[in-house]
Amino acid sequence: MPTSFTVVPVEAQGEERGPAERDGQRQEEEEEEEEDEERERSCGDGIARESSPFINSAEMDGGNVYEGKNMALFEEEMDSNPMVSSLLNKLANYTNLTQGVVEHEADEDSKRKEVKVPRMGTFIGVYLPCLQNILGVILFLRLTWIVGTAGVLESFIIVFMCCACTMLTAISMSAIATNGVVPAGGSYYMISRSLGPEFGGAVGLCFYLGTTFAGAMYILGTIEILLTYISPSAAIFKAEEVGEETEAMLNNMRVYGTCIIILMAIVVFVGVKYVNKLALVFLACVILSIIAIYAGVVKTAFDPPDFPICLLGNRTLSKRSFDVCAKFTESNNETRTTTLWQLFCDSSLLNATCDEYFSLNNVVEIQGIPGIMSGVLTDNLWSTYSEKGSIVEKKHQPSVPGSEETKMSGFPYVFTDIMTYFTMLVGIYFPSVTGIMAGSNRSGDLKDAQKSIPTGTILAISTTSFIYLSCIVLFGACIEGVILRDKFGEAVDGNLVVGTLAWPSPWVIVIGSFFSTCGAGLQSLTGAPRLLQAIARDGIVPFIRVFGHGKANGEPTWALLLTAGICEIGILIASLDSVAPILSMFFLMCYMFVNLACAVQTLLRTPNWRPRFKYYHWTLSFLGMSLCLALMFICSWYYALIAMLIAGCIYKYIEYRGAEKEWGDGIRGLSLNAARYALLRVEDGPPHTKNWRPQVLVLLNLNSEQLVKHPRLLSFTSQLKAGKGLTIVGSVLQGIYLDRCTETQKAEENIKSLMGVEKTKGFCQIVVSPNFRDGISYLIQSAGLGGMKHNTVLMAWPQSWKQTENRFSWKNFVDTVRETTAAQQALLVAKNIDLFPTNHERFTEGNIDVWWIVHDGGMLMLLPFLLRQHKVWRKCKMRIFTVAQMDDNSIQMKKDLQMFLYHLRLNAEVEVVEMFENDISAFTYEKTLMMEQRSQMLKQMQLSKNEREREAQLIHDRNTASRSAPVVKASVAAAVSEKVQMTWTKEKFIAEKHKKDSNVPGFKDIFNMKPNQSNVRRMHTAVKLNGVVLNKSQHAQLVLLNMPGPPKNRKGDENYMEFLEVLTEGLDRVLLVRGSGREVITIYS
C-alpha cells in the first residue's frame, strides 16, 4: 500500500509566531530542559556509568550536535546511550593496555599513565617467559636425586601429577583470561575479579608469598651451585669434625644468601630494565643446558663418558677424601696401602686393625654413567627410600655384612642427608612446574592477550612436561642408581650429577644452571613487589596500603623492602629441600582458586561468562581444584593447614573490614544462586513451630531531613534479634517517586548508616506513596521475598496522636494494627521508645515483666527469652503475671503456669494477680464520658484546623483536672459549653441551626449525652488493669503487655487509642504485643 510523506522543515514551524512570542517560548523550553536535566542528574538509575567504550562517557563534548535529524526520536537518550557509529569508532581504538584497567577501575586507578601500544606476540610474550620460569633450579639440582630415590616409575607419577595439575590450571586460566579484555596485572586481577575481593585478597597474598619464597629458593640454589660445584673453597664455615658438614653448609648458605639478597635488591631498585634485558640471556643458558643434556644422552649410546665410582662391597664411597679406588697398590713389587686404607684402618701398615666391613669386602670401581644401551633402566625402575644418615648402597651388588656395625660416621661413605619418602619428594619437585602464570602476568604487554595466553601457556607446559618426563626416563636409563641418589655428587669428585651426563662438558650445566637460578631469583624479586603493589593499590587489605607507594616512576620501593625481608626468612631456613614445600603450598592454593573461579563461573552460567577459549569444562576445573588440594596435603599436611589458615585469616580480615568493592565476581553470583535455591526450598510452607523466630519488619518514621526520628527502635531490634533471622527496616515517604527519588536515596543511606551503627543486620526498603497510610500497607504486604518474608511488625507508639497534623496519626496506627492482624502477622508496639536502652547500656539488675492476659500463641513468653540473649538485658530476671477472675482458682493457676514454663524450659517467677468485679468508679464514668464527648464534638463541629486543636486541648485539660478532683456533671457541661462558645461564630451558629432543623442532633446534645455502656466497661478494664500493673511493675525495666485488638466498628477507633493510653499510663518502657494467631513456642522437642 503506497504511503506518501510530507517533509516539513523543523525551523519553519515557528515562523508564523512573532519574534517576542518565539523568544518567550524558547526561554520556557530551555528552562524546562534544564529542569529535566537536573532531575536526570539527581535521580537517573543511580548507577555510576563506567568509563568504557560501551557507554558514552564524559569524554564526549557536552555540546555535541548530532549530524542530521533522522535520530531526533532518540536524541534525549544519546547522553547515556551512544549511537552505534560512535560505539564502533571507540571500539576500533580500544586496546587492552592500561585503558582496560581504567574501564573496570576508573575511580581507583585513574592516575595510571598511558604507555605505547604493545607489540609482543605469543612466542616472545608468553611461551619463552613461561619456559624460563618453569625450567629452573629443581631440574638441575634435584631431578636426578628424585629419580634415584623414587625410581623411574614413581618419579614418572610425581611429575605426571604435577604437570597434570598445572595443565588443568592453565586450561581454567585460559578460559578466565579470554573472557573479556585482560587488564594489566595478570593472575591476581584474574582471580580477584572472578572470585571477589575477599578471595582475591587472600589468594593474591598467597601468590605473593609463593613468588617471594620462590626467590629465596632460587637464591639458595645459586649458593649451592657456587659452594658445592664451582668454588668449594669459598666456604666461610668449615666442618671441624666429621658429621658437621651439613651444619657448616647451612651456615654458609645463610651468610652468602643474605649478601646475595641485598645485592639483588639493590640491582632491582636501581634498574629493573636491566633485569628484563638479561632475562633473554638467562633463558638462553637454560635452553643450552637442556640441549647439552640431550646431546650427552645421545653420546652415551656409543661413547659413554668416563666417570668411575668407587664401591666398598655395595656401599658408595665419597671421592672427596681419596684419589685411588683401592685398598693398596703395587709398584716395584712393593705393596703400599692407599689413602683409603688409612681412612678405614688405624695405621698405614698392612697388619693394621681395620674396620670389619672394610676387611670383609672388596673395593670395586664401576662406571657411573654406563650409557643408554646398558640396561641400567631395569635397576632404576623401583624406589629406594631411606632414613636420614643412611649409606647409599648399590642394589644387587655382592657384599659381606659384618657383625653389628660400628660407628660409621667417620668413614668416607656417601650418606643421605634427609629422610626420603614419596610425599616429601612431591613437595620438593612441585616448584619446578610453577611459573605458568608468567604469560598472564605480562598480559598488558601482549598484542592479543586473548589469543596469546592460552596458546603460549599450554604450549610451554606441554614442552616442559615433555622435557621433565623424558629426562626421568633418560636419567634412569643412563646413570647408575647410586649416582642418582648421590645428591651432591660426592662419588663423582663433587661434580653436579646431571653435569656428568652433559656434553661437551659438565661445566656447561654448572654455569648454565648458575646463571638461570640467578636470573630466576632476580625475576622473583622484580615480580613479587609489583604484585604486592597491585594488591595494596586495590585497597582491599588496609594494613598493606602503605606498600602501594613507591618511587616517582612507580617502582614499588616499600614493597621491595618487604619482599627482601620475607625472602630473608627463606634464606635463614637455608635448606632448599625445606623451602620448596613452603612455596609449593602457596602456589597450589593459588592454582586451586583459579580452577575454582573457572568452575564457579561455568556452573553459574553467568551471562557475562563467554570465553573465547572453548576447550574447557567445569569437570576439568573441578578435577584440577581437587588435584591441587590433594597435592597440598600430599606434600605436607601441616604446611597445607598453615597456608589455609593464613588465607582464611586474610579472607575474614577483608570481610570484617568490609571490602567495599563490587567486581561482578563469581562468588557473588554463587551467593545469589544459593540464596535463590534456599528461597525456593523455604517457599514450600510455613515453618514448624520449633523453627519459628520473629522475622521483623521495623517501621521507622523519618523527619523532614530524612533522618530517623527514633533510632532506639533499631537498637531494640538488634537486641531482640541478636543478628539472627530476617530484619527488614522500612519507611514511607509521601509523594511521587519521580519527584522524590533523591530523597529516597538519601533516606536509604541514612537508615543503612544507622543500621551499621546499631549493628542491625538486615535490609532496608523505602516506599514512596502518595498516601502515607497506603505506603505502610504496601510494606506490610510486599516486604520480603518468598519464604523470607516478615512475620512480625515492630513500630513505635505515636506519642502525639492527639495532634491531627501529625502524619502518623491515630487513624494510620489503628489501620496498621488491623492490617497486621489481617495478614496474620504479630505486632510489637514500643511505647516511650526513646527511654529504651542503647546497645552500649547494661542493666545490672531489674525485671522484665510479662502480663499474660490472653493467650497469643506464646509471643509474650518468647520475647523476654530472646531479649535476655543480648548483653543489655542478660542480667534482668523474667517475671510472668497472669490475671485471675472471680471464678478462677488462683493457686491451681499458679501451679499450672509453673509447670507450663518448666516444660518450655524457661526460668521465670510466676505470680497470679486477682482482679475481682467491683462497681465502676465515678472516675471511670467521667473519663469515658469526656472521651466520647470529645470524639462526638470533633465530628459535629466543622472547625478550622487551629480551632479543632484548641477544642481538643480544652477537653484534654478538663479530662486531666477531673482525675484530681471529680466535678459535678452539670458544672462540667456548663464549663465546657462556656469554653466552646468562645470559638462559636455567627456563621457556625446559623449552620448548626440548619442542622437542628433537619433533625440532626445539635451541639448542645453533646453535653446531654450518656456514655456508651460498652465503652464504660472497656475503660473500666483499662483503668483497673493499669492500676494492677502499676502496683506490681512500676519499677520494672520493661513491661510486656497483651495488646487488645481494635473495635470492629471503625467509629470507635479514637476511643481505642484512649483505652491503650489509659492502659499503659505511668509506665516507663512498655512493649504492647499482639500475636499472629499461630503457636510460636512449643513444649515438644
Side-chain angles (χ1 to χ4, degrees), residues 802-809 945 949:
K802 293 179 181 179
Q803 298 176 10
T804 52
E805 70 176 10
N806 179 24
R807 60 178 180 176
F808 198 79
S809 64
K945 185 178 178 182
E949 285 181 11

Side-chain angles (χ1 to χ4, degrees), residues 727-740:
T727 304
I728 302 171
V729 181
S731 188
V732 177
L733 296 182
Q734 201 162 352
I736 297 170
Y737 182 69
L738 287 176
D739 296 333
R740 303 208 63 181

